[in-house]
Amino acid sequence: MKRLTVFLILLLISNLTFGQNKETTDKKEIKQILNSFMDCIVKKDSIKFYTLFHNDPIVWIGVIKKTTHEVMLKKEPTRKNYFESTYKEFYRLLSDASEEKFYNIDIKEDGSIAAVTFDYSFWKNKIKANWGAESWGLIKVNGNWKITSVLFSLESEKINPEPIRAK
């Protein structure tokens, strides 16, 4: 009986360890997607960039934060506080000196779906253009994580500089 109890405890511990390794592996894979995303922008690698996404349609919506939107309304009174785009349009708009930085990353996943949230800053010619919060939805397809949605807030650095926070 004692041996059976020890065996069951060891079996339970090994199952818990295996489950934790699975989560760690998925989180590492998702972090690699984030790194690849940033790297593709810097290296101008559209082919690899496009492989990060699931089949169209991909939800891509930016919401302009209140302070920036109020300034924009002075120039364009009917301006919406959001815009829709695609990852391909986003990529085409990048300049040669574009860079996006991610920090305060939080990944929630269950092995099939994932939600990733983080703060970001977008840079052009080594000058911060805008910043905000970003959220991605991902799914695991045939063993590979793919981005299915990108939602983000946008604040102009010139209008309302990003507060200093832990990165």
Side-chain angles (χ1 to χ4, degrees):
M1 184 68 163
K2 205 174 200 180
R3 286 184 180 182
L4 179 61
T5 304
V6 170
F7 174 75
L8 290 174
I9 290 172
L10 289 174
L11 184 63
L12 177 64
I13 290 171
S14 68
N15 281 342
L16 289 174
T17 302
F18 177 76
Q20 289 173 346
N21 287 340
K22 171 89 172 94
E23 180 180 4
T24 301
T25 299
D26 282 328
K27 284 188 177 184
K28 284 180 182 177
E29 290 172 2
I30 293 167
K31 285 180 182 176
Q32 184 55 47
I33 298 276
L34 290 160
N35 291 333
S36 292
F37 186 99
M38 290 184 282
D39 195 46
C40 288
I41 290 172
V42 171
K43 292 182 177 175
K44 303 299 173 258
D45 186 348
S46 63
I47 294 169
K48 186 173 182 181
F49 186 80
Y50 292 171
T51 67
L52 301 175
F53 296 86
H54 188 260
N55 303 328
D56 284 328
I58 302 297
V59 174
W60 189 285
I61 298 177
V63 179
I64 303 165
K65 294 183 75 143
K66 185 178 179 182
T67 304
T68 296
H69 188 243
E70 286 173 350
V71 171
M72 291 176 163
L73 285 173
K74 291 176 185 173
K75 295 177 183 175
E76 189 182 339
T78 60
R79 174 90 185 235
K80 295 179 192 174
N81 74 326
Y82 70 93
F83 57 93
E84 299 173 72
S85 189
T86 68
Y87 64 95
K88 291 177 182 176
E89 287 175 19
F90 167 76
Y91 190 84
R92 283 191 291 266
L93 292 173
L94 296 174
S95 69
D96 287 339
S98 295
E99 182 180 5
E100 190 167 1
K101 299 177 183 180
F102 301 153
Y103 40 97
N104 299 326
I105 299 167
D106 183 37
I107 299 170
K108 303 256 191 276
E109 58 80 22
D110 72 355
S112 298
I113 64 169
V116 181
T117 57
F118 51 89
D119 296 321
Y120 80 92
S121 56
F122 189 80
W123 299 70
K124 288 184 179 183
N125 298 315
K126 299 187 182 197
I127 299 170
K128 189 186 306 181
N130 58 65
W131 58 274
E134 195 160 332
S135 172
W136 291 0
L138 295 94
I139 61 171
K140 197 165 196 179
V141 180
N142 298 323
N144 296 306
W145 287 101
K146 298 291 181 179
I147 303 167
T148 59
S149 65
V150 175
L151 307 173
F152 60 99
S153 62
L154 184 145
E155 189 79 86
S156 170
E157 181 69 10
K158 288 180 181 176
I159 295 170
N160 188 21
E162 182 176 17
I164 296 172
R165 52 185 148 182
K167 294 189 179 188

